[in-house]
């Protein structure tokens, strides 16, 4: 379970960094929250806007962590976020592998980091949920928040509390069902992509995260890193 221990900081450079620096002092499932981050990190070395008003947190998983399960953590976190947003009246969808979107705009991001080789020492799941931010500057047409969608302020602690409940319920529930929830909210299936200069359609996602793409001539199984989903959004 996560969240037996929750530590809240007014400011950190990055909650993921804090977890990685304090691995040995943190128990499995501990959550680190920061009201703001001075160096919030996103995917592909991007910065993650991290001023007051949104939720920024990371948790550590130390028990039975295997690289082959990395996609499972993505599925569990994404489905927990979708359920949480739904409880606050927001219908979000999943952009494979781990962004949640509302009306094609990003509302949450997940940054998973790990250490070790096939049997991992730990993984850190870092999550940012846009809650009360209303101006996204240059990203106004790409990002949104709970407040932008529903025009009201939300209590950040309440959102975290619901996320933790949902995540722990998911840990207890049937993993096939959780994966089905992930697929049912996933917007990439049926979308066209280019792979090695050939046109394909994404037909499915496997439980380990591999994508199945097909065209009239061929069906292929490809890893996320092998295709660009940029053209889809
Ligand atoms: C993305 O680019 O989509 C991933 C963004 C992840 C942001 C969160 S905020 C909490 C945690 N700490 C960080 O520095 N990054 C993650």
């Amino acid at each position: 379970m996560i969240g037996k221990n929750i530590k809240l900081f007014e400011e950190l450079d990055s909650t993921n960094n804090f977890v990685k620096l304090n691995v040995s002092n943190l128990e499995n499932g501990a959550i680190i929250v920061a009201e703001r981050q001075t160096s919030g990190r996103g995917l592909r070395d991007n910065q993650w806007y991290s001023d007051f008003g949104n939720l920024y947190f990371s948790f550590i998983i130390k028990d039975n962590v295997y690289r082959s399960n990395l996609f499972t953590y993505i599925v569990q976190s994404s489905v927990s976020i979708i359920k949480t947003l739904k409880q606050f009246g927001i219908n979000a969808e999943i952009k494979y592998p781990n962004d949640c979107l509302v009306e094609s705009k990003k509302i949450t991001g997940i940054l998973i980091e790990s250490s070790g080789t096939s049997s991992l020492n730990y993984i850190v799941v870092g999550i940012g949920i846009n809650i009360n931010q209303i101006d996204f500057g240059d990203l106004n047409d790409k990002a949104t928040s709970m407040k932008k969608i529903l025009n009201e302020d939300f209590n950040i602690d309440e959102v975290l509390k619901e996320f933790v409940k949902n995540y722990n319920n998911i840990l207890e529930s049937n993993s096939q069902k959780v994966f089905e929830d992930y697929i049912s909210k996933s917007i990439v299936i049926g979308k066209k992509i280019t792979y090695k200069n050939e046109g394909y359609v994404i037909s499915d996602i496997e439980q380990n995260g591999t994508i199945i793409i097909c065209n009239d001539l061929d069906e292929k199984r490809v890893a996320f890193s092998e295709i660009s989903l940029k053209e889809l959004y």
Side-chain angles (χ1 to χ4, degrees):
M1 94 176 255
I2 63 164
K4 220 172 94 196
N5 237 307
I6 301 183
K7 283 196 177 67
L8 173 65
F9 293 84
E10 189 177 319
E11 178 180 296
L12 287 177
D13 60 343
S14 147
T15 53
N16 271 37
N17 292 356
F18 183 92
V19 169
K20 290 200 286 182
L21 284 172
N22 292 280
V23 171
S24 51
N25 302 322
L26 294 171
E27 65 180 45
N28 180 53
I31 299 183
I32 300 298
V33 193
E35 287 176 29
R36 72 186 287 261
Q37 302 180 114
T38 52
S39 302
R41 294 188 290 110
L43 299 165
R44 295 174 290 274
D45 289 331
N46 286 329
Q47 281 183 355
W48 185 257
Y49 173 94
S50 296
D51 213 342
F52 294 111
N54 298 322
L55 175 58
Y56 314 105
F57 69 103
S58 303
F59 54 91
I60 182 159
I61 304 178
K62 286 176 149 179
D63 294 351
N64 305 320
V65 193
Y66 296 97
R67 187 167 293 285
S68 55
N69 287 347
L70 277 182
F71 192 65
T72 304
Y73 303 113
I74 292 181
V75 168
Q76 291 169 337
S77 302
S78 308
V79 173
S80 303
I81 290 172
I82 293 284
K83 285 185 189 284
T84 303
L85 292 173
K86 178 86 191 156
Q87 281 159 343
F88 288 92
I90 293 172
N91 283 315
E93 298 176 304
I94 300 169
K95 174 186 156 191
Y96 174 93
N98 57 7
D99 289 343
C100 292
L101 309 182
V102 178
E103 288 160 7
S104 304
K105 294 181 179 178
K106 182 155 159 161
I107 186 162
T108 66
I110 305 176
L111 178 64
I112 294 190
E113 298 183 285
S114 57
S115 112
T117 49
S118 63
S119 164
L120 300 169
N121 303 330
Y122 66 85
I123 71 155
V124 183
V125 180
I127 296 181
I129 302 183
N130 296 337
I131 299 188
N132 293 319
Q133 183 178 353
I134 42 171
D135 186 9
F136 290 86
D138 292 349
L139 297 176
N140 267 329
D141 56 342
K142 294 205 170 105
T144 192
S145 68
M146 293 171 65
K147 181 168 180 175
K148 267 195 108 160
I149 296 161
L150 292 180
N151 213 9
E152 57 181 288
D153 277 300
F154 290 89
N155 180 313
I156 297 172
D157 296 343
E158 285 296 314
V159 179
L160 176 64
K161 212 164 90 190
E162 290 306 319
F163 174 88
V164 170
K165 259 196 239 160
N166 286 322
Y167 191 92
N168 285 331
N169 283 339
I170 278 173
L171 290 182
E172 298 287 309
S173 58
N174 175 299
S175 58
Q176 180 64 33
K177 167 79 179 58
V178 177
F179 185 67
E180 282 165 16
D181 285 347
Y182 177 90
I183 293 292
S184 75
K185 291 289 173 190
S186 206
I187 54 175
V188 295
I189 292 170
K191 294 269 166 76
K192 292 180 186 152
I193 56 147
T194 311
Y195 176 71
K196 297 194 173 160
N197 295 325
E198 302 268 348
Y200 288 87
V201 169
I202 298 179
S203 62
D204 208 355
I205 301 170
E206 294 183 345
Q207 290 222 20
N208 64 2
T210 303
I211 301 184
I212 315 288
I213 56 173
C214 60
N215 60 20
D216 291 345
L217 305 171
D218 209 2
E219 179 176 280
K220 284 194 186 313
R221 301 172 70 251
V222 292
F224 166 60
S225 51
E226 290 182 86
I227 60 170
S228 165
L229 295 178
K230 270 216 175 100
E231 58 196 289
L232 292 179
Y233 304 103

